[in-house]
Amino acid sequence: MRSGVVVFPGSNCDRDLETAISSQSFDTCQMLWHKETTLPNNLDILFIPGGFSFGDYLRCGAIAASSPIMKSILKFAQNGGYIVGICNGFQILTEAGLLEGTLLRNSKLNFICKQQSVVVTNNGSIITKNFSNGEILHLPIAHHDGNYFADDDTLNKIEGNGQVLFRYADNPNGSKNNIAGIMSENHRVIGLMPHPERAVNEVLGSSDGSKIFKSLFENI
Amino acid sequence: MRLIVRIAPKKSILDPQGEAISNSLKSLGFDQINSVRQGKIIEIDLNESDENRGMEIGKEMCNTLLVNKVIEDFSVTIE
């Protein structure tokens, strides 16, 4: 199993992600600088980490979404590669057009950093397959712009297709339909605001995140 | 030429920042306010003399990077 983590200036969850990935039985986890124009061969899964890429200038994720590595990431997605974006990674994937909707400023304008109960809504994806629908996970959230928004037509479409993977048990940020994580229509591109890589050990307050990585790795 | 790109949240989008500004202005006594929307202005100094071409380039910039059309409207003017 070969994985990669894309690193942008301002990424700050890349090392946590690498640690979480390495604790699973992944053979390699390569850190990929955003100026690369090609991806390693035979990559099974690509992670876009959280953080504040390019200082969140212009819009969260907008500048990262047009960085040099994105062309090969788009090609990787077209060829059916698995991509998981967490927090800023989710924002980058929406800005790149790989996931529908966008993430607006939190409805109460505050930065939220806390443990959050998240409900598994559809266990039909590699990231949720090890859970049952309705199962509650405890994962940290840490964002200023996590308020998921899509127009009504798009919302109806992603709901109808079962593309919503995670919902907040109590909506902290104003997200439409309590959405915390979604996947693309072909199930290959996944984005979520909560941070599973920050919840891989009980010492950190929860180890539910490691179940998420386990699910990814067992079901690819 | 100078391009002025004005970007504003779409009417259908809640704008909590605009609302916070509105509340603050009202608390300062500006009772005449109906509503406030917050957007941004980007000024671009462009090495191009043809106005039509300048507008085309400006719109292309909006479509590729400057604007997220899920949530924002924009206009381009030449100064």
Side-chain angles (χ1 to χ4, degrees):
Chain A
M1 193 73 73
R2 295 160 62 93
S3 65
V5 175
V6 184
V7 185
F8 299 96
S11 295
N12 63 14
C13 298
D14 44 327
R15 295 288 300 277
D16 288 2
L17 203 43
E18 185 190 20
T19 304
I21 292 165
S22 305
S23 70
Q24 303 294 325
S25 55
F26 270 58
D27 297 331
T28 59
C29 174
Q30 273 180 271
M31 308 306 274
L32 308 166
W33 186 234
H34 72 112
K35 286 192 172 165
E36 302 285 339
T37 49
T38 55
L39 297 178
N41 288 331
N42 308 319
L43 206 58
D44 294 301
I45 184 167
L46 191 63
F47 292 88
I48 321 275
F52 301 88
S53 57
F54 297 92
D56 279 352
Y57 291 175
L58 190 63
R59 294 178 309 276
C60 301
I63 295 183
S66 21
S67 63
I69 201 169
M70 283 312 291
K71 272 188 187 154
S72 42
I73 293 178
L74 290 173
K75 199 180 283 176
F76 181 68
Q78 277 164 10
N79 293 334
Y82 284 109
I83 304 176
V84 176
I86 297 167
C87 197
N88 188 221
F90 185 9
Q91 295 163 340
I92 292 167
L93 291 174
T94 62
E95 281 286 345
L98 288 172
L99 286 172
E100 285 128 322
T102 193
L103 285 310
L104 295 173
R105 179 59 41 107
N106 294 341
S107 56
K108 288 180 185 157
L109 298 175
N110 48 350
F111 188 96
I112 307 172
C113 182
K114 62 166 188 167
Q115 195 85 336
Q116 177 71 41
S117 298
V118 177
V119 185
V120 175
T121 311
N122 178 1
N123 66 354
S125 78
I126 56 166
I127 198 169
T128 52
K129 209 163 259 181
N130 285 12
F131 304 99
S132 30
N133 285 337
E135 194 168 339
I136 291 177
L137 307 177
H138 301 286
L139 298 170
I141 54 169
H143 58 243
H144 209 164
D145 300 77
N147 177 355
Y148 183 80
F149 175 86
D151 61 38
D152 289 342
D153 288 345
T154 308
L155 271 181
N156 289 337
K157 178 193 157 260
I158 64 171
E159 291 284 2
N161 287 341
Q163 286 173 248
V164 179
L165 300 176
F166 301 104
R167 291 184 210 274
Y168 300 110
D170 55 334
N171 193 337
N173 55 23
S175 288
K176 290 262 186 192
N177 299 8
N178 303 330
I179 288 172
I182 61 170
M183 63 177 167
S184 59
E185 206 170 340
N186 71 356
H187 296 199
R188 296 287 176 137
V189 183
I190 293 163
L192 67 161
M193 288 312 293
H195 286 276
E197 80 285 4
R198 294 190 190 177
V200 293
N201 191 307
E202 282 303 330
V203 173
L204 302 173
S206 168
S207 60
D208 286 352
S210 54
K211 297 180 200 162
I212 282 187
F213 288 100
K214 195 161 186 277
S215 182
L216 280 175
F217 302 149
E218 287 179 359
N219 296 301
I220 284 179
Chain B
M1 72 177 65
R2 243 162 107 78
L3 292 182
I4 308 294
V5 178
R6 286 188 178 76
I7 302 168
K10 283 188 176 174
K11 293 270 185 309
S12 56
I13 305 283
L14 284 174
D15 175 20
Q17 293 179 99
E19 208 172 303
I21 294 167
S22 166
N23 291 340
S24 185
L25 286 172
K26 281 179 190 166
S27 75
L28 291 168
F30 294 97
D31 303 324
Q32 309 89 335
I33 288 173
N34 287 326
S35 70
V36 176
R37 309 285 285 172
Q38 182 188 313
K40 55 192 139 190
I41 292 179
I42 300 173
E43 300 178 355
I44 300 166
D45 187 352
L46 199 68
N47 183 16
E48 173 62 57
S49 51
D50 183 278
E51 291 207 347
N52 289 335
R53 182 73 192 123
M55 282 297 280
E56 248 174 58
I57 294 169
K59 285 178 184 164
E60 200 180 328
M61 287 173 177
C62 288
N63 289 325
T64 51
L65 177 66
L66 300 180
V67 177
N68 181 339
K69 288 192 283 181
V70 177
I71 49 170
E72 294 170 327
D73 288 327
F74 70 93
S75 67
V76 183
T77 49
I78 292 171
E79 225 177 43

